[in-house]
Amino acid sequence: MVETTYDDCWLRYDRVEETLRAAYRERLSHAYVSEGAPELGAVRAELRRGLEGMLGREPHLWQHPPRSVDSFLVIGHPEEMRPISETIDPEEAWDLADGGFLLRTVEWEGQECTVLTASSDRGLVYGTFHLLRLVATGEPIDDLDVCEEPANANRIVNHWDNPFRRSVERGYAGQSIFDWERLPDLRERYFDYARLLASVGIDGIVPNNVNTGIPPRSTANDAVAERAGWQLLKRENLEKLEALASVFRRYGIRTYLSINYAAPIRLGGLDTADPHDPEVQQWWQDKVDEIYEIVPDFGGFLVKADSEGQPGPYDYDRSHAEGANVLGEAFEGHDGRVWWRAFVYSEHDDRAVQAYEAFAHLDGEFHEKVTVQIKNGPIDFQQREPVSTLFGAMPETDLGCELQITGEYTGQGVHPTSHVPMWKEVLGFDTHADGEGTPVKDVLTERDGQGIAGVGIVGEDPNWTGNYLLQSNLYGFGRLCWNPDLSTEEITDEWVRQTFGHDEAVVDAVSEILLDSWQACIDYHTGGIGLMHMMYNGEKTLENHYDPAPWEWPEYHGATADGIGVDRTTDGSGYAAQYREPLTDFYDDPETCPEELLLFFHHLPWEYELEDGTTVIQRLYDDLYAGAAAVDELRERWLALEGQVDERRHRHVAERFDEHALQAKRWRDTLCEYFYEKSEIPDEHGRVPAG
Ligand code: GCU
């Protein structure tokens, strides 16, 4: 099969500057690498590729310590090779968390060694990518003393890819890269995707959509059902899964599956999927055992149940805990688990309160093999949302956080909106679950059954992500899962240097574009003070979630003749009351509620005065105009890089910016006109046409 060529993303390994090259060559031209595990094959291949690209020649790979050189690199387990066992305390290395590694410059028998060691094979993979990143970003490596461990025990990408059909739900970068029709044939692209993921510390992928009964909202016909995700639990497809898993395993990445709760009926021929039914329990047990025979390092199940048309335990009057636990029990004795999503809502009441109502009271009832996976906010990956109340409400449960790497509401594959600052805000949010100082990032890292999942972004497009600049979100997702304390600036700088090189003008311009992109996105999509969900949906057409249509979902913004916003205070829908104190009081009072979320929590008169004396309506107008103007400015910054970035990438991103600038104005004008129509209050600056 002929593969189209595609981009290397941040693993370009461009030649490093002449002035730095000698120092790197000195340390890295000779490498003694263990052959202990398949992952070490990936390590050797990456060293060859990376160092050849960056230093202009492949390293010499040895099977014993090279004695004729002053300096060499050594990679292996703590007690495996003398240059490691005689210089590093094995306890220090064995004590590292799974995936952690030590990278240290030592002297051994008169030679200088750069030692990379880890307690696990995947740790050696991560350490290798870390070392290559140091070279790619121009950092010195003469005196290393690095000890890294992943903060989050699980760092998983959830692909919403529909197998066989190869469409990607909320994917904006072409078809799915996973070709189930042809598996077990392997594509080069799988290996390169695994490299990209491992380079930022991702350790799991779910290759199929959470909607396993696609399409959930229309009548499924046989041809569609034949190709739906729930079919992947069939033996012949599990064998295909193992082929895929064999690629990702080499990079320390485990493979999971999204499953359909009604599988015992659809596949097993039972007449129920009731979790209390012994036959159902046995069916799941047998299925999980069968999977482990085929895929020995299987990661587990991801489940969307009782949500948007997917079956679940409610069909049998059972709770989410009862529903999840039958699956959890099937994983006893296996090294895998169940990621049970908390994304549930029904068509009535305030959607924001619903996940908490369905889950919070079940705290402590979930099986130890179950993780409850919560979207970052209570609505649905909006441009900005308050952080979900559930993170502070279930201390006895293994919680996972679900973020969206793809840009369903943030400009899809067109607008280069960086999600990194948003994720930083989410992970840093203080839940007060255990008193002041219990941020989400700490809630997620208490136990090994926890972690972060991100909804995937890649597709068949040559640039993988729809817009070259959006590669930064995949990069940033992995880096933040690894270390949520990295700053947005650090992550952005790393990504830009590896992707576009070290020309300071380019680094500054691209970084500024990314750093300013999120606020711009919030401003032109929402007006900046807590509104959301004003996009076009259109049941009968493509649900585009891209264009503005504030009239479609008035309950989400609450605009009426007297004011705007939704009362979610304790006296309103009660969402604010789901937080721990003092957060409830803080959000309940419009005087203390942060302005960026004001209209999410409060329905206020159009002329309510904000802190700086501006009225709500005027602020909406101003922020919508500021957002569209900011996009023009981002575009200008990019256009000014012509000739400094290769033409192919420059032109592609420039074209996306043309569309982006138009779309930002479309949002601005639609929302301004709508708010004017409701409020009948003109814009002080006369920009919004009256009527
Ligand atoms: C959103 C999204 C759907 C998706 C769902 C989910 O509603 O638009 O495409 O299936 O979230 O997270 O399950």
Side-chain angles (χ1 to χ4, degrees), residues 160 169-170 209-211 217 304 307-308 341 343 345 351 375 380-381 402 408-409 545:
W160 286 359
E169 181 152 348
R170 311 308 178 193
N209 192 354
V210 288
N211 289 318
R217 298 178 193 82
K304 173 172 178 173
S307 170
E308 298 184 330
R341 301 178 78 229
F343 179 68
Y345 63 97
R351 173 172 175 179
K375 281 192 185 181
D380 186 18
F381 298 137
E402 183 176 307
E408 178 177 358
Y409 302 96
H545 289 191

PDB file of all heavy atoms in Angstrom, residues 160 169-170 209-211 217 304 307-308 341 343 345 351 375 380-381 402 408-409 545, ligand 1:
ATOM      1  N   TRP A 160     -11.959   8.991  19.031  1.00  0.00           N
ATOM      2  CA  TRP A 160     -13.385   8.835  18.718  1.00  0.00           C
ATOM      3  C   TRP A 160     -13.517   8.381  17.255  1.00  0.00           C
ATOM      4  O   TRP A 160     -14.294   8.916  16.479  1.00  0.00           O
ATOM      5  CB  TRP A 160     -14.129  10.146  18.981  1.00  0.00           C
ATOM      6  CG  TRP A 160     -14.328  10.461  20.444  1.00  0.00           C
ATOM      7  CD1 TRP A 160     -13.940   9.703  21.517  1.00  0.00           C
ATOM      8  CD2 TRP A 160     -14.989  11.605  20.994  1.00  0.00           C
ATOM      9  NE1 TRP A 160     -14.314  10.317  22.690  1.00  0.00           N
ATOM     10  CE2 TRP A 160     -14.958  11.485  22.397  1.00  0.00           C
ATOM     11  CE3 TRP A 160     -15.605  12.729  20.437  1.00  0.00           C
ATOM     12  CZ2 TRP A 160     -15.518  12.439  23.252  1.00  0.00           C
ATOM     13  CZ3 TRP A 160     -16.161  13.674  21.284  1.00  0.00           C
ATOM     14  CH2 TRP A 160     -16.123  13.528  22.679  1.00  0.00           C
ATOM     15  N   GLU A 169     -15.447  10.904  14.816  1.00  0.00           N
ATOM     16  CA  GLU A 169     -16.404  11.823  15.430  1.00  0.00           C
ATOM     17  C   GLU A 169     -15.625  12.990  16.032  1.00  0.00           C
ATOM     18  O   GLU A 169     -14.673  12.807  16.787  1.00  0.00           O
ATOM     19  CB  GLU A 169     -17.201  11.084  16.514  1.00  0.00           C
ATOM     20  CG  GLU A 169     -18.230  11.985  17.162  1.00  0.00           C
ATOM     21  CD  GLU A 169     -19.438  11.219  17.701  1.00  0.00           C
ATOM     22  OE1 GLU A 169     -19.591  10.027  17.383  1.00  0.00           O
ATOM     23  OE2 GLU A 169     -20.231  11.826  18.431  1.00  0.00           O
ATOM     24  N   ARG A 170     -16.046  14.188  15.661  1.00  0.00           N
ATOM     25  CA  ARG A 170     -15.363  15.421  16.113  1.00  0.00           C
ATOM     26  C   ARG A 170     -13.894  15.432  15.712  1.00  0.00           C
ATOM     27  O   ARG A 170     -13.063  16.033  16.402  1.00  0.00           O
ATOM     28  CB  ARG A 170     -15.492  15.612  17.631  1.00  0.00           C
ATOM     29  CG  ARG A 170     -16.895  15.476  18.165  1.00  0.00           C
ATOM     30  CD  ARG A 170     -17.893  16.332  17.435  1.00  0.00           C
ATOM     31  NE  ARG A 170     -19.249  16.142  17.932  1.00  0.00           N
ATOM     32  CZ  ARG A 170     -20.328  16.579  17.300  1.00  0.00           C
ATOM     33  NH1 ARG A 170     -20.234  17.202  16.140  1.00  0.00           N
ATOM     34  NH2 ARG A 170     -21.515  16.383  17.811  1.00  0.00           N
ATOM     35  N   ASN A 209     -14.188   4.839  19.007  1.00  0.00           N
ATOM     36  CA  ASN A 209     -15.135   5.826  19.544  1.00  0.00           C
ATOM     37  C   ASN A 209     -15.908   5.301  20.765  1.00  0.00           C
ATOM     38  O   ASN A 209     -16.312   4.138  20.799  1.00  0.00           O
ATOM     39  CB  ASN A 209     -16.124   6.159  18.412  1.00  0.00           C
ATOM     40  CG  ASN A 209     -16.983   7.364  18.684  1.00  0.00           C
ATOM     41  OD1 ASN A 209     -16.948   7.938  19.762  1.00  0.00           O
ATOM     42  ND2 ASN A 209     -17.770   7.753  17.686  1.00  0.00           N
ATOM     43  N   VAL A 210     -16.165   6.210  21.698  1.00  0.00           N
ATOM     44  CA  VAL A 210     -17.033   5.866  22.836  1.00  0.00           C
ATOM     45  C   VAL A 210     -18.463   5.563  22.380  1.00  0.00           C
ATOM     46  O   VAL A 210     -19.184   4.827  23.041  1.00  0.00           O
ATOM     47  CB  VAL A 210     -17.069   6.990  23.891  1.00  0.00           C
ATOM     48  CG1 VAL A 210     -15.762   7.069  24.634  1.00  0.00           C
ATOM     49  CG2 VAL A 210     -17.428   8.338  23.263  1.00  0.00           C
ATOM     50  N   ASN A 211     -18.840   6.153  21.271  1.00  0.00           N
ATOM     51  CA  ASN A 211     -20.138   5.801  20.686  1.00  0.00           C
ATOM     52  C   ASN A 211     -19.926   4.524  19.886  1.00  0.00           C
ATOM     53  O   ASN A 211     -19.544   4.556  18.722  1.00  0.00           O
ATOM     54  CB  ASN A 211     -20.652   6.914  19.773  1.00  0.00           C
ATOM     55  CG  ASN A 211     -21.093   8.125  20.573  1.00  0.00           C
ATOM     56  OD1 ASN A 211     -21.724   7.993  21.613  1.00  0.00           O
ATOM     57  ND2 ASN A 211     -20.732   9.306  20.104  1.00  0.00           N
ATOM     58  N   ARG A 217     -27.869   8.547  17.060  1.00  0.00           N
ATOM     59  CA  ARG A 217     -29.132   9.270  16.991  1.00  0.00           C
ATOM     60  C   ARG A 217     -29.998   8.882  15.800  1.00  0.00           C
ATOM     61  O   ARG A 217     -31.077   9.348  15.635  1.00  0.00           O
ATOM     62  CB  ARG A 217     -28.869  10.777  16.983  1.00  0.00           C
ATOM     63  CG  ARG A 217     -28.194  11.261  18.236  1.00  0.00           C
ATOM     64  CD  ARG A 217     -27.926  12.729  18.154  1.00  0.00           C
ATOM     65  NE  ARG A 217     -27.011  13.134  19.208  1.00  0.00           N
ATOM     66  CZ  ARG A 217     -25.699  13.017  19.155  1.00  0.00           C
ATOM     67  NH1 ARG A 217     -25.130  12.505  18.074  1.00  0.00           N
ATOM     68  NH2 ARG A 217     -24.943  13.402  20.157  1.00  0.00           N
ATOM     69  N   LYS A 304     -19.055   4.432  27.581  1.00  0.00           N
ATOM     70  CA  LYS A 304     -20.054   5.502  27.585  1.00  0.00           C
ATOM     71  C   LYS A 304     -21.395   4.792  27.752  1.00  0.00           C
ATOM     72  O   LYS A 304     -21.852   4.100  26.837  1.00  0.00           O
ATOM     73  CB  LYS A 304     -19.999   6.274  26.266  1.00  0.00           C
ATOM     74  CG  LYS A 304     -21.116   7.305  26.085  1.00  0.00           C
ATOM     75  CD  LYS A 304     -20.884   8.156  24.850  1.00  0.00           C
ATOM     76  CE  LYS A 304     -22.007   9.160  24.621  1.00  0.00           C
ATOM     77  NZ  LYS A 304     -21.710  10.098  23.516  1.00  0.00           N
ATOM     78  N   SER A 307     -25.905   7.405  27.954  1.00  0.00           N
ATOM     79  CA  SER A 307     -25.609   8.762  27.514  1.00  0.00           C
ATOM     80  C   SER A 307     -25.807   8.841  26.012  1.00  0.00           C
ATOM     81  O   SER A 307     -25.302   7.974  25.283  1.00  0.00           O
ATOM     82  CB  SER A 307     -24.150   9.075  27.881  1.00  0.00           C
ATOM     83  OG  SER A 307     -23.727  10.271  27.278  1.00  0.00           O
ATOM     84  N   GLU A 308     -26.542   9.839  25.575  1.00  0.00           N
ATOM     85  CA  GLU A 308     -26.747  10.112  24.152  1.00  0.00           C
ATOM     86  C   GLU A 308     -27.054   8.841  23.346  1.00  0.00           C
ATOM     87  O   GLU A 308     -26.452   8.585  22.313  1.00  0.00           O
ATOM     88  CB  GLU A 308     -25.521  10.833  23.584  1.00  0.00           C
ATOM     89  CG  GLU A 308     -25.297  12.188  24.253  1.00  0.00           C
ATOM     90  CD  GLU A 308     -24.155  13.001  23.665  1.00  0.00           C
ATOM     91  OE1 GLU A 308     -23.197  12.397  23.163  1.00  0.00           O
ATOM     92  OE2 GLU A 308     -24.236  14.239  23.723  1.00  0.00           O
ATOM     93  N   ARG A 341     -17.296   6.587  31.970  1.00  0.00           N
ATOM     94  CA  ARG A 341     -17.466   8.034  31.797  1.00  0.00           C
ATOM     95  C   ARG A 341     -18.652   8.594  32.588  1.00  0.00           C
ATOM     96  O   ARG A 341     -19.701   7.945  32.684  1.00  0.00           O
ATOM     97  CB  ARG A 341     -17.640   8.369  30.308  1.00  0.00           C
ATOM     98  CG  ARG A 341     -16.447   7.925  29.489  1.00  0.00           C
ATOM     99  CD  ARG A 341     -16.648   8.206  28.025  1.00  0.00           C
ATOM    100  NE  ARG A 341     -16.430   9.572  27.650  1.00  0.00           N
ATOM    101  CZ  ARG A 341     -17.266  10.298  26.915  1.00  0.00           C
ATOM    102  NH1 ARG A 341     -18.412   9.787  26.497  1.00  0.00           N
ATOM    103  NH2 ARG A 341     -16.973  11.537  26.579  1.00  0.00           N
ATOM    104  N   PHE A 343     -20.050  11.389  31.671  1.00  0.00           N
ATOM    105  CA  PHE A 343     -20.715  12.337  30.768  1.00  0.00           C
ATOM    106  C   PHE A 343     -22.152  11.885  30.519  1.00  0.00           C
ATOM    107  O   PHE A 343     -22.428  11.129  29.594  1.00  0.00           O
ATOM    108  CB  PHE A 343     -19.937  12.419  29.453  1.00  0.00           C
ATOM    109  CG  PHE A 343     -20.556  13.357  28.460  1.00  0.00           C
ATOM    110  CD1 PHE A 343     -20.583  14.726  28.687  1.00  0.00           C
ATOM    111  CD2 PHE A 343     -21.124  12.874  27.286  1.00  0.00           C
ATOM    112  CE1 PHE A 343     -21.160  15.593  27.775  1.00  0.00           C
ATOM    113  CE2 PHE A 343     -21.699  13.733  26.359  1.00  0.00           C
ATOM    114  CZ  PHE A 343     -21.716  15.092  26.606  1.00  0.00           C
ATOM    115  N   TYR A 345     -26.392  13.219  30.730  1.00  0.00           N
ATOM    116  CA  TYR A 345     -27.375  14.280  30.947  1.00  0.00           C
ATOM    117  C   TYR A 345     -28.645  13.865  30.232  1.00  0.00           C
ATOM    118  O   TYR A 345     -28.626  13.026  29.336  1.00  0.00           O
ATOM    119  CB  TYR A 345     -26.875  15.625  30.407  1.00  0.00           C
ATOM    120  CG  TYR A 345     -26.644  15.656  28.920  1.00  0.00           C
ATOM    121  CD1 TYR A 345     -27.615  16.155  28.055  1.00  0.00           C
ATOM    122  CD2 TYR A 345     -25.469  15.168  28.374  1.00  0.00           C
ATOM    123  CE1 TYR A 345     -27.405  16.168  26.684  1.00  0.00           C
ATOM    124  CE2 TYR A 345     -25.248  15.173  27.007  1.00  0.00           C
ATOM    125  CZ  TYR A 345     -26.222  15.674  26.165  1.00  0.00           C
ATOM    126  OH  TYR A 345     -26.004  15.682  24.816  1.00  0.00           O
ATOM    127  N   ARG A 351     -28.479  21.061  32.541  1.00  0.00           N
ATOM    128  CA  ARG A 351     -27.542  19.982  32.238  1.00  0.00           C
ATOM    129  C   ARG A 351     -26.332  19.988  33.183  1.00  0.00           C
ATOM    130  O   ARG A 351     -25.764  18.944  33.506  1.00  0.00           O
ATOM    131  CB  ARG A 351     -27.095  20.180  30.793  1.00  0.00           C
ATOM    132  CG  ARG A 351     -26.009  19.269  30.324  1.00  0.00           C
ATOM    133  CD  ARG A 351     -25.856  19.502  28.843  1.00  0.00           C
ATOM    134  NE  ARG A 351     -24.755  18.758  28.310  1.00  0.00           N
ATOM    135  CZ  ARG A 351     -24.418  18.783  27.030  1.00  0.00           C
ATOM    136  NH1 ARG A 351     -25.109  19.511  26.172  1.00  0.00           N
ATOM    137  NH2 ARG A 351     -23.411  18.081  26.583  1.00  0.00           N
ATOM    138  N   LYS A 375     -15.434  14.742  32.421  1.00  0.00           N
ATOM    139  CA  LYS A 375     -15.015  15.848  31.547  1.00  0.00           C
ATOM    140  C   LYS A 375     -14.622  17.047  32.402  1.00  0.00           C
ATOM    141  O   LYS A 375     -15.188  17.253  33.482  1.00  0.00           O
ATOM    142  CB  LYS A 375     -16.146  16.257  30.600  1.00  0.00           C
ATOM    143  CG  LYS A 375     -16.297  15.326  29.414  1.00  0.00           C
ATOM    144  CD  LYS A 375     -17.221  15.895  28.341  1.00  0.00           C
ATOM    145  CE  LYS A 375     -17.414  14.848  27.243  1.00  0.00           C
ATOM    146  NZ  LYS A 375     -18.269  15.292  26.137  1.00  0.00           N
ATOM    147  N   ASP A 380     -19.735  20.665  28.205  1.00  0.00           N
ATOM    148  CA  ASP A 380     -19.183  19.799  27.153  1.00  0.00           C
ATOM    149  C   ASP A 380     -18.047  20.490  26.405  1.00  0.00           C
ATOM    150  O   ASP A 380     -18.246  20.963  25.285  1.00  0.00           O
ATOM    151  CB  ASP A 380     -20.300  19.436  26.158  1.00  0.00           C
ATOM    152  CG  ASP A 380     -19.832  18.426  25.128  1.00  0.00           C
ATOM    153  OD1 ASP A 380     -18.811  17.769  25.373  1.00  0.00           O
ATOM    154  OD2 ASP A 380     -20.499  18.296  24.081  1.00  0.00           O
ATOM    155  N   PHE A 381     -16.872  20.521  26.969  1.00  0.00           N
ATOM    156  CA  PHE A 381     -15.692  21.022  26.264  1.00  0.00           C
ATOM    157  C   PHE A 381     -15.897  22.403  25.639  1.00  0.00           C
ATOM    158  O   PHE A 381     -15.463  22.674  24.524  1.00  0.00           O
ATOM    159  CB  PHE A 381     -15.261  20.048  25.162  1.00  0.00           C
ATOM    160  CG  PHE A 381     -14.869  18.690  25.652  1.00  0.00           C
ATOM    161  CD1 PHE A 381     -15.287  17.541  24.979  1.00  0.00           C
ATOM    162  CD2 PHE A 381     -14.060  18.546  26.765  1.00  0.00           C
ATOM    163  CE1 PHE A 381     -14.908  16.275  25.414  1.00  0.00           C
ATOM    164  CE2 PHE A 381     -13.678  17.282  27.208  1.00  0.00           C
ATOM    165  CZ  PHE A 381     -14.105  16.139  26.528  1.00  0.00           C
ATOM    166  N   GLU A 402     -11.181  13.940  31.811  1.00  0.00           N
ATOM    167  CA  GLU A 402     -11.229  13.869  30.349  1.00  0.00           C
ATOM    168  C   GLU A 402     -11.119  15.277  29.768  1.00  0.00           C
ATOM    169  O   GLU A 402     -11.933  16.151  30.081  1.00  0.00           O
ATOM    170  CB  GLU A 402     -12.540  13.199  29.905  1.00  0.00           C
ATOM    171  CG  GLU A 402     -12.644  13.018  28.396  1.00  0.00           C
ATOM    172  CD  GLU A 402     -13.913  12.264  27.979  1.00  0.00           C
ATOM    173  OE1 GLU A 402     -14.163  11.155  28.505  1.00  0.00           O
ATOM    174  OE2 GLU A 402     -14.665  12.802  27.146  1.00  0.00           O
ATOM    175  N   GLU A 408     -13.493  20.599  19.064  1.00  0.00           N
ATOM    176  CA  GLU A 408     -14.912  20.595  18.679  1.00  0.00           C
ATOM    177  C   GLU A 408     -15.555  21.989  18.774  1.00  0.00           C
ATOM    178  O   GLU A 408     -16.293  22.382  17.873  1.00  0.00           O
ATOM    179  CB  GLU A 408     -15.655  19.595  19.570  1.00  0.00           C
ATOM    180  CG  GLU A 408     -17.147  19.524  19.308  1.00  0.00           C
ATOM    181  CD  GLU A 408     -17.835  18.475  20.162  1.00  0.00           C
ATOM    182  OE1 GLU A 408     -17.157  17.778  20.937  1.00  0.00           O
ATOM    183  OE2 GLU A 408     -19.065  18.351  20.042  1.00  0.00           O
ATOM    184  N   TYR A 409     -15.293  22.712  19.837  1.00  0.00           N
ATOM    185  CA  TYR A 409     -15.940  24.016  20.030  1.00  0.00           C
ATOM    186  C   TYR A 409     -14.953  25.179  19.971  1.00  0.00           C
ATOM    187  O   TYR A 409     -15.320  26.310  20.232  1.00  0.00           O
ATOM    188  CB  TYR A 409     -16.657  24.060  21.378  1.00  0.00           C
ATOM    189  CG  TYR A 409     -17.703  22.977  21.571  1.00  0.00           C
ATOM    190  CD1 TYR A 409     -17.397  21.804  22.242  1.00  0.00           C
ATOM    191  CD2 TYR A 409     -18.996  23.137  21.067  1.00  0.00           C
ATOM    192  CE1 TYR A 409     -18.352  20.807  22.421  1.00  0.00           C
ATOM    193  CE2 TYR A 409     -19.959  22.152  21.247  1.00  0.00           C
ATOM    194  CZ  TYR A 409     -19.632  20.986  21.921  1.00  0.00           C
ATOM    195  OH  TYR A 409     -20.578  20.010  22.100  1.00  0.00           O
ATOM    196  N   HIS A 545     -21.375  22.283  15.053  1.00  0.00           N
ATOM    197  CA  HIS A 545     -20.754  22.836  16.263  1.00  0.00           C
ATOM    198  C   HIS A 545     -19.668  23.863  15.948  1.00  0.00           C
ATOM    199  O   HIS A 545     -18.719  24.021  16.700  1.00  0.00           O
ATOM    200  CB  HIS A 545     -20.162  21.729  17.169  1.00  0.00           C
ATOM    201  CG  HIS A 545     -21.203  20.902  17.861  1.00  0.00           C
ATOM    202  ND1 HIS A 545     -20.921  20.015  18.877  1.00  0.00           N
ATOM    203  CD2 HIS A 545     -22.548  20.817  17.673  1.00  0.00           C
ATOM    204  CE1 HIS A 545     -22.030  19.433  19.294  1.00  0.00           C
ATOM    205  NE2 HIS A 545     -23.022  19.890  18.569  1.00  0.00           N
TER     206      HIS A 545
HETATM  207  C1  GCU B   1     -20.333  15.707  22.781  1.00  0.00           C
HETATM  208  C2  GCU B   1     -19.992  15.491  21.340  1.00  0.00           C
HETATM  209  C3  GCU B   1     -20.362  14.114  20.885  1.00  0.00           C
HETATM  210  C4  GCU B   1     -19.742  13.079  21.825  1.00  0.00           C
HETATM  211  C5  GCU B   1     -20.102  13.379  23.264  1.00  0.00           C
HETATM  212  C6  GCU B   1     -19.381  12.501  24.261  1.00  0.00           C
HETATM  213  O1  GCU B   1     -21.715  15.725  22.950  1.00  0.00           O
HETATM  214  O2  GCU B   1     -20.626  16.464  20.548  1.00  0.00           O
HETATM  215  O3  GCU B   1     -19.905  13.927  19.584  1.00  0.00           O
HETATM  216  O4  GCU B   1     -20.154  11.807  21.483  1.00  0.00           O
HETATM  217  O5  GCU B   1     -19.761  14.702  23.573  1.00  0.00           O
HETATM  218  O6  GCU B   1     -18.459  13.015  24.890  1.00  0.00           O
HETATM  219  O7  GCU B   1     -19.708  11.344  24.434  1.00  0.00           O
END
